[in-house]
Amino acid sequence: MRHYLNLSTKQLKTQKMSTIFIILAIVMSTALLTAIGQSIGLFQGLFQNQAKWLNGNRHITLTVSTEDEVAQIFNNNELTEIGVSKHLGVIDTTKTTMILGLYEYDEFSVNSIEKANLLLEDGRYPVTANEIALPSKTLKILGYPETLGTSLNLPMYNVDINGMTYEFEAEFVLTGLLKEIGQNSTGNSMNGMVGDGAMEMYLPPENYMYLVNFKVQDLDNFQPIINQIIDELNITRLGGVQYNHGYLDSLGVDYVESMSSSSFGVSLPIVIVGALILLSAGFVVYNIFKISILKEMKDYGVLRAIGAEPSQIYKIVLGKVVIFILIATPIGGIIGVFMSEGVISAMVSMLNPSIFMVDTTDEVKALLSSSGEIYIGFILVAILITSLFSILSVIPTARYASKVSPKVAMSGVKDVKITRKNRKVKDVGAHFENYFAKLNLMRNRGKTIVTILSMFLAITLFIGLNSFIEPMNPANDMLGSEKGDYSLTSRPSDDLNYNNGLPQSEIDRIIQDPNVADAPYIKHAYYNRFLYNDPENLEGLKPLELDFELPKYEDSEINADITIFGISDSFVELGLTDMSKEDKVKFLNGEGCIYQPKGFLVDSPDLEVGKSITINGTTLEILHKGPVLMLTGGGVVSTEIVVNERLFEQLTGDTLINEVYIHLAEGADVASVESLLNDIQDNNSYTSWLSFAQYKIDAEQSFKQIKYLAIGFIAVITFISGLNIFNTMYTNIYSRIKEIGVQRALGMDRLTIRRIFILEGLYYGGIASLFGGTCGYLITIILNMSNGVRNPYVVPVVQIAIAVAFTLIICYLSTVISLRQISRLSIVQSIENVE
């Protein structure tokens, strides 16, 4: 028995090239799994940190009105990282549609939860009740200079939990200027900070409002825990529960207001990409082992002829596999870790620490570096998977070697009955090399399929990895693509319950400005659910006659209000990318509408795609159901029907424009555009503008740096995949040395042999590219849909082209290099095929 087991080590020593190929395959596959496993965990952490940067380091915010309720939250053992901000009120101004809110923040909120949104540009944070820190833009809106020490006299109001408004005046001294980033520069909320005791100084106890921010420790039971807290605190009012959508979606948490189109969150993309990695690495190992074992079939035939039992053949083969695994997998795991560390060290100097909510490069390194325990976990998983595929790859061949007759095994040729009945002479054609290359593919279909599969999976993996990164940008959800470089809004700051807006003449000034490339806009008319057909209470709007029932609020028999939106033609082109051309034509012709469902509303059977509704005698087909627009600052929860602007005027009688998204022309004079917007703001009450330009720059720069890091990891993984393809092709050719020697003995010259094998390699790569590109595209669609990308069907042309070119180049190089070495052998050496 020992004699047969010793053959495993002897074969490794005598067949040096095969041993090297197999060890390289296992090392690279283990390194690939280790590196990508660490990378996926790392990037998930990066996306989560970017989500914190965009909207605060919290899972959820609950609004309560007493200190006892705050204490009840603090005493809940299922919650962690709790911070409190006290809502003083809103600065009352008719010059803006924004809510200029003032808050007291506790120390934990300033240093952790709201850190990215409360960065100081100048001065210091307020300490006492009469001190304040504001963003520069707020001071401009209020008409005060950006000078520290300035006294501010602010008219304010506060709305209590019963909806009652309390008006007051507050006096402050400006101690700090806040940077305009994160939530201080988007939406309709621009927050300032006041010192401790301001709420108690200016508000009666019945108007106290505490915003408690926290995280939930058990994310698997996130929603049940939140529901229990809501029930215990009896939070029923709208806005009492605010989920941090971007952060929760990046964590893959299942919650009631999830903005992700998949309940898996980011886990579905990770599962898909992880499966591709496992298959890609596994097939490489499988292919090389299969080629190696087939090459040794004659040896196993000799062993069978001298009396070896099938179980002994198994032990010899498995003994070799175990030796390979013991040598190669630890090396591969260590290489994978060092490559990951190398990429981090090389890329970290390029990253801006602020995108991770830290201040120094050292803190970034600490954030990106995983613990030794996690490294060990990745290595163990990689070793386990590679070992499993290695063992599975040799079992079928070992089984065949142990059962086939010694005669067949020693000859390497199966018993085949040759018939020449009706034999046809095949036309080789003008290109003998091309014919022979195709013939080689057909001779051993199993080897051909496995070789193509290993390349196919490498191509699919590359495309999938690139598609895995882009949709996960948290800024995609927080800043819709239809919002341009600026938004100009004209409506009251509290809700839509007011007929206000800009005349067309003001919009024409914007559209005709040479610095503006486009200016899509929105009109809207809000109707109270009880008064939508009462002309005396509609402030100039036409009453509505509806033939459908308005949806009801959840857990209520109360019907929702209704808001009708009218959008410009350019908004249709920019914002309605999911609609078919036919539906767009119907929409623009006033034959159809869009139903935009909102949270807290029960689905209505009358408002489904394909059904028809009638508004004021006009019958409209519901062409689309889903979100297509989101106002800057949001609005009331109502039944939202979207039509084109011409039909909007016909239905409502309203001609005013409420929100404009301004897209700058290339090389635009930003100062000139902002001067125009300031002029429009000064001439129209309840009007203000927001600049998304700097926010977009910050968000894009944040994600771009994360993407650079991702590209570094993808490059490493692609390099490993390339080495595996090279190894597969090299092994495939090297196993056919005897065949090449026979061809040369029959008179085939080296150039012809080279052309045959190059064409064969290109066929491998071409077939793999065709199927890999197609499968990669399908996976891209799945990943895009799981991440809520607006148009998930965009073809990743660049990624497919790079993957195809890379594969074909590797196939060519591996063929040329391996043939160059084989060509140095004499014909006799090639036929004897002694390593």
Side-chain angles (χ1 to χ4, degrees):
M1 186 71 66
R2 184 177 177 184
H3 170 72
Y4 292 110
L5 293 177
N6 284 342
L7 282 176
S8 296
T9 56
K10 288 182 178 179
Q11 285 182 344
L12 297 183
K13 293 177 182 178
T14 56
Q15 299 174 358
K16 296 177 182 177
M17 291 302 297
S18 297
T19 300
I20 291 172
F21 290 147
I22 294 173
I23 288 177
L24 276 175
I26 298 176
V27 166
M28 290 303 167
S29 296
T30 309
L32 175 66
L33 292 172
T34 304
I36 193 62
Q38 180 180 333
S39 303
I40 289 177
L42 171 65
F43 290 124
Q44 188 173 359
L46 295 184
F47 294 132
Q48 291 165 10
N49 274 278
Q50 192 194 23
K52 296 175 192 176
W53 175 82
L54 291 170
N55 201 33
N57 185 18
R58 60 178 177 270
H59 291 162
I60 195 169
T61 300
L62 298 181
T63 303
V64 296
S65 55
T66 68
E67 289 189 357
D68 289 340
E69 291 172 322
V70 174
Q72 190 172 339
I73 296 174
F74 267 94
N75 293 330
N76 192 320
N77 294 328
E78 295 180 297
L79 309 180
T80 185
E81 298 185 41
I82 305 172
V84 180
S85 57
K86 302 175 183 178
H87 179 57
L88 177 61
V90 176
I91 302 173
D92 192 5
T93 173
T94 60
K95 283 295 182 184
T96 180
T97 64
M98 290 187 295
I99 298 175
L100 306 178
L102 296 183
Y103 296 84
E104 293 180 41
Y105 297 95
D106 64 8
E107 185 176 354
F108 184 74
S109 296
V110 173
N111 295 324
S112 178
I113 297 176
E114 301 290 351
K115 180 177 180 179
N117 298 307
L118 294 175
L119 296 177
L120 277 172
E121 191 171 47
D122 194 12
R124 62 173 176 82
Y125 291 118
V127 177
T128 61
N130 67 330
E131 294 180 337
I132 191 171
L134 292 171
S136 300
K137 188 173 180 63
T138 301
L139 291 168
K140 292 176 184 176
I141 292 172
L142 298 174
Y144 284 101
E146 301 174 33
T147 306
L148 299 179
T150 299
S151 296
L152 309 179
N153 189 356
L154 304 177
M156 301 187 65
Y157 65 89
N158 179 290
V159 180
D160 65 20
I161 61 173
N162 297 313
M164 302 300 293
T165 301
Y166 174 76
E167 297 182 356
F168 61 100
E169 286 193 359
E171 295 184 359
F172 299 101
V173 175
L174 184 67
T175 64
L177 296 177
L178 301 176
K179 290 184 178 180
E180 296 178 23
I181 61 172
Q183 62 185 12
N184 272 332
S185 61
T186 59
N188 74 329
S189 175
M190 187 168 287
N191 298 337
M193 179 180 180
V194 295
D196 185 39
M199 185 179 74
E200 289 81 359
M201 175 182 290
Y202 290 107
L203 297 180
E206 59 268 22
N207 283 77
Y208 288 179
M209 191 177 295
Y210 303 86
L211 279 70
V212 188
N213 307 289
F214 57 85
K215 293 181 179 179
V216 176
Q217 297 190 62
D218 182 7
L219 293 181
D220 292 335
N221 294 304
F222 177 85
Q223 196 60 57
I225 292 171
I226 296 302
N227 290 341
Q228 182 180 355
I229 296 172
I230 291 173
D231 291 340
E232 290 174 354
L233 298 176
N234 193 29
I235 299 176
T236 57
R237 63 186 177 281
L238 191 63
V241 182
Q242 301 174 39
Y243 295 92
N244 190 352
H245 296 285
Y247 189 25
L248 290 174
D249 288 338
S250 72
L251 292 169
V253 176
D254 186 16
Y255 64 106
V256 293
E257 294 182 21
S258 176
M259 298 174 72
S260 172
S261 60
S262 168
S263 62
F264 291 101
V266 297
S267 62
L268 177 59
I270 288 175
V271 167
I272 293 173
V273 174
L276 287 176
I277 293 161
L278 297 180
L279 289 172
S280 178
F283 264 103
V284 169
V285 175
Y286 180 93
N287 192 22
I288 291 178
F289 260 118
K290 185 177 179 66
I291 293 170
S292 174
I293 300 299
L294 286 173
K295 184 181 174 183
E296 296 163 357
M297 189 65 69
K298 182 180 290 187
D299 296 336
Y300 299 132
V302 173
L303 292 174
R304 289 291 313 282
I306 62 176
E309 297 293 331
S311 61
Q312 292 169 325
I313 301 295
Y314 269 111
K315 289 178 182 179
I316 293 170
V317 175
L318 292 176
K320 290 176 64 175
V321 174
V322 170
I323 293 171
F324 285 137
I325 290 171
L326 292 176
I327 294 173
T329 52
I331 297 174
I334 294 170
I335 289 175
V337 171
F338 274 105
M339 281 193 299
S340 301
E341 284 290 320
V343 173
I344 291 174
S345 299
M347 301 294 292
V348 74
S349 59
M350 300 170 58
L351 303 178
N352 183 354
S354 66
I355 70 173
F356 305 113
M357 299 179 67
V358 296
D359 300 317
T360 66
T361 300
D362 289 338
E363 290 179 279
V364 178
K365 289 181 179 179
L367 176 67
L368 298 183
S369 295
S370 303
S371 68
E373 232 175 84
I374 296 177
Y375 280 150
I376 292 171
F378 285 135
I379 293 173
L380 291 177
V381 170
I383 290 174
L384 177 63
I385 297 298
T386 308
S387 302
L388 179 62
F389 270 99
S390 300
I391 293 170
L392 290 176
S393 67
V394 300
I395 287 177
T397 310
R399 184 170 178 269
Y400 172 75
S402 66
K403 289 190 175 183
V404 73
S405 70
K407 176 185 174 183
V408 173
M410 291 173 67
S411 66
V413 180
K414 295 182 181 179
D415 291 329
V416 179
K417 293 182 179 180
I418 300 174
T419 59
R420 301 190 180 277
K421 187 177 179 180
N422 298 325
R423 182 183 180 190
K424 295 181 180 179
V425 177
K426 293 186 178 180
D427 183 14
V428 175
H431 299 286
F432 169 76
E433 295 92 342
N434 183 48
Y435 171 80
F436 207 87
K438 291 179 181 177
L439 190 63
N440 284 340
L441 296 180
M442 300 299 294
R443 283 192 311 160
N444 193 334
R445 297 182 181 180
K447 184 191 295 185
T448 298
I449 290 172
V450 175
T451 302
I452 290 173
L453 274 174
S454 63
M455 296 182 189
F456 155 80
L457 288 167
I459 294 169
T460 307
L461 174 61
F462 177 82
I463 299 170
L465 281 173
N466 280 276
S467 304
F468 173 71
I469 301 298
E470 185 63 40
M472 294 182 68
N473 185 358
N476 291 336
D477 290 332
M478 302 188 67
L479 185 60
S481 59
E482 75 279 356
K483 286 181 168 61
D485 299 292
Y486 295 90
S487 76
L488 178 67
T489 306
S490 182
R491 59 186 174 88
S493 60
D494 51 356
D495 57 36
L496 305 179
N497 208 349
Y498 187 85
N499 186 23
N500 186 75
L502 296 169
Q504 185 65 47
S505 58
E506 295 283 34
I507 307 305
D508 290 340
R509 292 175 63 190
I510 297 172
I511 295 173
Q512 294 166 8
D513 192 301
N515 296 298
V516 175
D518 201 356
Y521 53 82
I522 299 173
K523 304 174 180 179
H524 57 72
Y526 168 80
Y527 290 83
N528 184 279
R529 55 187 172 275
F530 302 116
L531 307 174
Y532 63 82
N533 57 2
D534 184 356
E536 295 184 3
N537 293 280
L538 293 180
E539 299 185 4
L541 296 176
K542 287 183 180 180
L544 296 182
E545 294 292 335
L546 309 176
D547 75 336
F548 60 94
E549 183 180 359
L550 295 173
K552 292 181 170 59
Y553 290 104
E554 291 179 351
D555 303 321
S556 172
E557 290 301 314
I558 301 176
N559 293 98
D561 303 331
I562 180 169
T563 303
I564 297 180
F565 292 92
I567 57 178
S568 64
D569 291 352
S570 59
F571 189 100
V572 174
E573 295 303 320
L574 289 172
L576 306 186
T577 55
D578 289 345
M579 287 183 66
S580 66
K581 290 183 179 180
E582 294 77 10
D583 285 346
K584 281 185 181 180
V585 170
K586 288 183 181 180
F587 185 87
L588 292 171
N589 290 339
E591 301 170 5
C593 66
I594 296 169
Y595 170 52
Q596 185 166 258
K598 303 293 287 185
F600 305 107
L601 296 184
V602 178
D603 279 345
S604 169
D606 295 334
L607 297 172
E608 298 293 338
V609 174
K611 297 234 175 147
S612 295
I613 60 174
T614 301
I615 303 176
N616 284 352
T618 300
T619 300
L620 300 170
E621 178 187 351
I622 298 179
L623 304 171
H624 179 80
K625 178 182 177 182
V628 295
L629 60 84
M630 182 176 66
L631 296 176
T632 303
V636 298
V637 175
S638 63
T639 308
E640 297 184 350
I641 304 295
V642 184
V643 298
N644 72 61
E645 61 169 324
R646 295 171 292 281
L647 182 58
F648 172 85
E649 293 182 14
Q650 176 186 324
L651 297 177
T652 67
D654 186 8
T655 61
L656 298 176
I657 295 165
N658 303 100
E659 187 148 358
V660 188
Y661 302 131
I662 300 161
H663 297 256
L664 295 179
E666 189 173 349
D669 183 349
V670 174
S672 174
V673 173
E674 293 186 358
S675 176
L676 172 62
L677 296 178
N678 282 329
D679 186 57
I680 294 174
Q681 175 181 283
D682 292 341
N683 294 333
N684 297 273
S685 61
Y686 293 110
T687 299
S688 66
W689 58 271
L690 286 173
S691 171
F692 293 113
Q694 188 57 49
Y695 175 81
K696 288 170 73 176
I697 290 171
D698 291 342
E700 288 170 4
Q701 183 65 21
S702 166
F703 185 69
K704 186 183 293 184
Q705 293 181 84
I706 294 176
K707 195 172 180 181
Y708 285 156
L709 188 59
I711 290 171
F713 277 108
I714 291 173
V716 171
I717 293 160
T718 304
F719 175 73
I720 297 173
S721 298
L723 287 178
N724 278 337
I725 293 175
F726 184 95
N727 201 3
T728 301
M729 287 295 298
Y730 197 100
T731 305
N732 192 9
I733 294 172
Y734 202 86
S735 66
R736 293 158 66 182
I737 292 178
K738 182 181 291 186
E739 175 187 325
I740 295 171
V742 172
Q743 290 170 346
R744 288 175 61 192
L746 293 174
M748 192 178 292
D749 60 73
R750 288 186 175 91
L751 182 59
T752 300
I753 294 174
R754 180 179 179 183
R755 286 175 179 170
I756 291 171
F757 277 91
I758 288 175
L759 285 171
E760 187 178 335
L762 293 179
Y763 276 126
Y764 281 131
I767 296 170
S769 297
L770 176 63
F771 289 101
T774 303
C775 187
Y777 174 54
L778 294 176
I779 287 174
T780 297
I781 293 174
I782 295 172
L783 294 176
N784 287 344
M785 293 177 68
S786 70
N787 284 292
V789 174
R790 173 166 292 181
N791 184 10
Y793 303 104
V794 175
V795 181
V797 177
V798 176
Q799 289 90 335
I800 292 175
I802 292 173
V804 170
F806 179 78
T807 303
L808 293 177
I809 290 171
I810 292 294
C811 288
Y812 176 82
L813 290 177
S814 60
T815 303
V816 171
I817 293 172
S818 57
L819 287 175
R820 178 174 294 178
Q821 292 188 350
I822 292 172
S823 66
R824 295 172 184 170
L825 301 174
S826 67
I827 294 176
V828 174
Q829 288 175 320
S830 297
I831 294 175
E832 289 179 349
N833 191 16
V834 179
E835 293 198 52

